[in-house]
Amino acid sequence: MSLNCPVPHEEDALLLLGHGAGGRLTAELLEDLVLPAVGRPGPGPLEDAALVPSHPELVISTDSFVVSPLSFPGGDIGSLAVHGTVNDLAMRGAVPLALSLAVIAEEGLPLAELRAVLASAGRSARAVPVPVVTGDTKVVGRGAADRLFLNTTGIGRRLAGLTPSADRARPGDAILLSGPVGLHGTAVLSARESLGFDADFISDSRPLHRLVTALGPCGANVHTLRDPTRGGVAAALNEIARDAAISVEIEEVAVPVPDPVAAACDMLGLDPLEVANEGCFLAFVAPELTDDALAALRSLPEGGSADRIGSAGVGPAGRVTVRTLVGARRILDMPLGEQLPRIC
Amino acid sequence: MSLNCPVPHEEDALLLLGHGAGGRLTAELLEDLVLPAVGRPGPGPLEDAALVPSHPELVISTDSFVVSPLSFPGGDIGSLAVHGTVNDLAMRGAVPLALSLAVIAEEGLPLAELRAVLASAGRSARAVPVPVVTGDTKVVGRGAADRLFLNTTGIGRRLAGLTPSADRARPGDAILLSGPVGLHGTAVLSARESLGFDADFISDSRPLHRLVTALGPCGANVHTLRDPTRGGVAAALNEIARDAAISVEIEEVAVPVPDPVAAACDMLGLDPLEVANEGCFLAFVAPELTDDALAALRSLPEGGSADRIGSAGVGPAGRVTVRTLVGARRILDMPLGEQLPRIC
C-alpha cells in the first residue's frame, strides 16, 4: 500500500505530527516503515490487539500515552492509560487479565503530580478490575520529555464464542455505536490553556469490557468491534471498510454528537466524526442480531444511548459514505493527519 | 521501607534523575509512591518479570528505553529494547513468546533514522527468535521528547523446572557471573559527543535466554537470576541480599573488568560494579551445582568467561561485601542515584 506520501525522498524526510494521528499518514508509516522493519505479525489485518502465539485464548495490546495536559475533565493520563489498553483488548472480545505500566518522566516533575496520576491509574485498574503486575520507571533530564509519558500493555482472555476481527465485517452488517462521539478530544482541547470554551466537556474515557461482555451471547454474529480513538469514527470505519473490502454507509442523523461538541467543532472547523473518543465503540453485527445486540448494550449505563448508525454494503470496497440530514451523500475519507495532537 | 529520602516534604518534592537510576532512590520511589498508587503485584519481591495471573507458566515484563544517543558501539535503542525485555523474561527462567513495541517519537526525527533503529529491533527479534506481534506509534511536537523512546513488553514461557526468584537465594549459594562487567555503560558514555576515549568500547547488549536455557538441567537448584542493568552488579546484589535476607560476599579479583572499562572508570571516578550491563547475569545456585552450572554457561560463546565470583552467607541480612585484591573487605552499598543517566 502506498498512500501518496507528501514526502517523496526518505533520505530527507522527517517525521510529522500527523504520522502519529491515526489517519492516512499513520497507516503509511506502518506499511512503508514499521512493518517492513519489524515484520508483519500475521496474514490478517492489523488490529487493536494481537493473538499470543501458541495461546489462542490470549490477546496482547500495547499503547503509549502522551496526552497533554496530564489532567482533563473526566480523566487524566493515568485513567486513560488503563482504559485505552483495556479497551483495545475488549475490541478483540477479551477481558483483561493483567496490565504492565511503564513510566517515562521528566526530571523536575512534582512527585505529588506523579503520585496523583499513578493513583488514578491504580483506581481505574481496580475498578475494572485488572491487576498491574509489572512496571518500569525511567527519568530523563529536563527538556528531554514533556513531563510524563505512560505505556500500558495488557494481556486479555477472549470470551468464549467472541472472535471479532476487522476482516470479518460483512455486507449487510448492521453498524452499531455504543455512545455519543467527540467528547474526549474536545475535553482535552478545552483543558489546554489557550482555549476557553464556555461549555463543559467531559471525556468519555471509560472501560468498555463490560459492554463487550454483554455482547457475548451474540457470539460469532459479532463480526467486528473497534473503538474510534485517534482519527475518530472516520478512521475506524475506513480501516474496517478497507480490511473487510466492504463499503460502509452511516446516517449523519443517527450519530449522537452532543451539542457542546457540535458547537466546538463548528467553531474550530473540526469534523466530529474525526475527533477522538475513549469510551464508545463501533460494532458490526449480523443484521438479524441488531435488536438483541442493542438491547445488550443498552442494558448497561455506558451503553444507554447505543444505536444503529448505518450498515455495510458490497462496495465499492473501502468506501465510507455519510447520508446527510438532507439526504445527500458525502464521502467520509480517512483523515490525513492530526486534527488535535496529543489527545491520548 | 523508608530509605531516608533527601526530599522530606512531598508537596514540594520534585522527581530527580536518580529516581530512574535503579538504585536507592528508585527503590524508594517504588515503595513510597508507585506501589501504594497502583498496588503491589503479590506477596513476593519485585522481579524483572511477573507471573501472569491464572497462567503460571507465563511471565510478563515491560521496559521503556530512553538511551542517548540512539546508537552506540555494539547496538542501538532498537536492539537494546529487544534484548532488555528478552533478558528480563529470561531472569525468571522464561523463553520469549511475543513482544510488543511502542514508539514515542519527536516530530522532525529523520524517517531514515527511525527506520534504521526499527530495522535493528526487527533483526534482533528475529535472531532470538521472538515475533513482534503488536505495536503503537505516538508522535509529539518538537521539544516534547528527545528524539525517540521505545517500550517493549514481552510474554515468556517458563522452562520446565526453572523457578528462579530473588527470595530463593540461600546462604551457601555459589554466585556465578556469566561475563565481564561495565561494557554497556562505558560504550554509551563513549558515544556521547563530549567524551572521547581512546579505547574501543563495545556494549555487551545481547539476549541471555540461551544461557538460561543451558541452565535448565540444573532445575530448581538455580535459585536466583538477575541481569545487572541500571545500578550494575552493586544494585543487583543488594536487591537479592535484601529480598532473600542473606549476606553476599564477592571476590574483587574474580569479577572480570575489561581493561578499557577499568581505565575509563578510574578516569571518571566510577565504580565498575555500579556500571550498567546488558549482556551478562548473576546466578545464585546451590553450591554442589557450581561446576555443572559453569560448564553449562561456558558451553555457549556468550558464557565463555562465566565464573564464580562469590557466595551467599547467613548475614547480616542485606549486607553485600567485596573482598579486595589485598584481602580487605569493603561494603558494596546500593548506589544512591544516577552515575550515568539514560544508558538504557
Side-chain angles (χ1 to χ4, degrees), chain A residues 76-122:
Chain A
D76 56 40
I77 193 172
S79 56
L80 192 64
V82 170
H83 297 158
T85 290
V86 166
N87 292 348
D88 282 346
L89 297 171
M91 295 304 109
R92 294 304 296 277
V95 291
L97 272 181
L99 290 184
S100 65
L101 175 64
V103 172
I104 298 173
E106 183 186 13
E107 180 189 16
L109 181 73
L111 288 183
E113 203 163 344
L114 180 60
R115 185 188 292 273
V117 297
L118 292 184
S120 169

Side-chain angles (χ1 to χ4, degrees), chain B residues 97-161:
Chain B
L97 273 180
L99 291 184
S100 65
L101 175 64
V103 172
I104 297 174
E106 183 186 13
E107 180 189 18
L109 182 74
L111 288 183
E113 204 164 342
L114 180 61
R115 185 187 292 274
V117 298
L118 292 184
S120 169
R123 278 193 305 275
S124 301
R126 287 188 293 276
V128 168
V130 58
V132 177
V133 297
T134 192
D136 178 52
T137 306
K138 294 290 190 308
V139 182
V140 298
R142 284 173 196 269
D146 185 10
R147 302 173 61 79
L148 180 65
F149 303 142
L150 298 181
N151 174 282
T152 48
T153 304
I155 301 181
R157 195 187 63 247
R158 299 183 98 178
L159 295 161

Side-chain angles (χ1 to χ4, degrees), chain A residues 5 7 10-11 13-21 26 29-30 32-34 36-41 47-55 57-66 97-115 118-123 125-126 131-147 149-155 157 230 341-342 344, chain B residues 5 7 10-11 13-21 26 29-30 32-34 36-41 47-55 57-66 97-115 118-123 125-126 131-147 149-155 157 230 341-342 344:
Chain A
C5 178
V7 278
E10 187 185 292
E11 59 269 33
L14 304 179
L15 195 68
L16 309 173
L17 273 178
H19 280 121
T26 300
L29 186 76
L30 273 175
D32 294 350
L33 194 153
V34 178
V38 301
R40 181 175 276 278
E47 308 264 8
D48 287 334
L51 303 185
V52 175
S54 76
H55 287 71
E57 80 285 11
L58 297 182
V59 295
I60 178 173
S61 183
T62 192
D63 244 330
S64 290
F65 296 84
V66 298
L97 272 181
L99 290 184
S100 65
L101 175 64
V103 172
I104 298 173
E106 183 186 13
E107 180 189 16
L109 181 73
L111 288 183
E113 203 163 344
L114 180 60
R115 185 188 292 273
L118 292 184
S120 169
R123 277 193 306 274
R126 286 189 294 275
V132 177
V133 296
T134 192
D136 178 51
T137 306
K138 293 291 190 308
V139 182
V140 297
R142 285 174 196 268
D146 185 9
R147 302 174 61 78
F149 303 142
L150 298 181
N151 174 280
T152 48
T153 303
I155 301 181
R157 194 185 65 247
R230 285 182 289 178
R342 297 183 64 186
C344 63
Chain B
C5 178
V7 278
E10 188 184 292
E11 59 269 32
L14 304 179
L15 195 68
L16 309 173
L17 273 178
H19 281 120
T26 301
L29 187 75
L30 274 174
D32 293 349
L33 194 153
V34 178
V38 302
R40 182 174 275 278
E47 307 264 8
D48 287 335
L51 304 185
V52 174
S54 75
H55 288 72
E57 80 285 12
L58 297 181
V59 296
I60 178 172
S61 183
T62 192
D63 245 329
S64 289
F65 296 85
V66 298
L97 273 180
L99 291 184
S100 65
L101 175 64
V103 172
I104 297 174
E106 183 186 13
E107 180 189 18
L109 182 74
L111 288 183
E113 204 164 342
L114 180 61
R115 185 187 292 274
L118 292 184
S120 169
R123 278 193 305 275
R126 287 188 293 276
V132 177
V133 297
T134 192
D136 178 52
T137 306
K138 294 290 190 308
V139 182
V140 298
R142 284 173 196 269
D146 185 10
R147 302 173 61 79
F149 303 142
L150 298 181
N151 174 282
T152 48
T153 304
I155 301 181
R157 195 187 63 247
R230 285 183 288 178
R342 296 183 65 185
C344 64

Side-chain angles (χ1 to χ4, degrees), chain B residues 246-259:
Chain B
I246 56 173
S247 63
V248 159
E249 182 160 291
I250 62 172
E251 303 283 334
E252 190 165 39
V253 70
V255 178
V257 181
D259 286 343

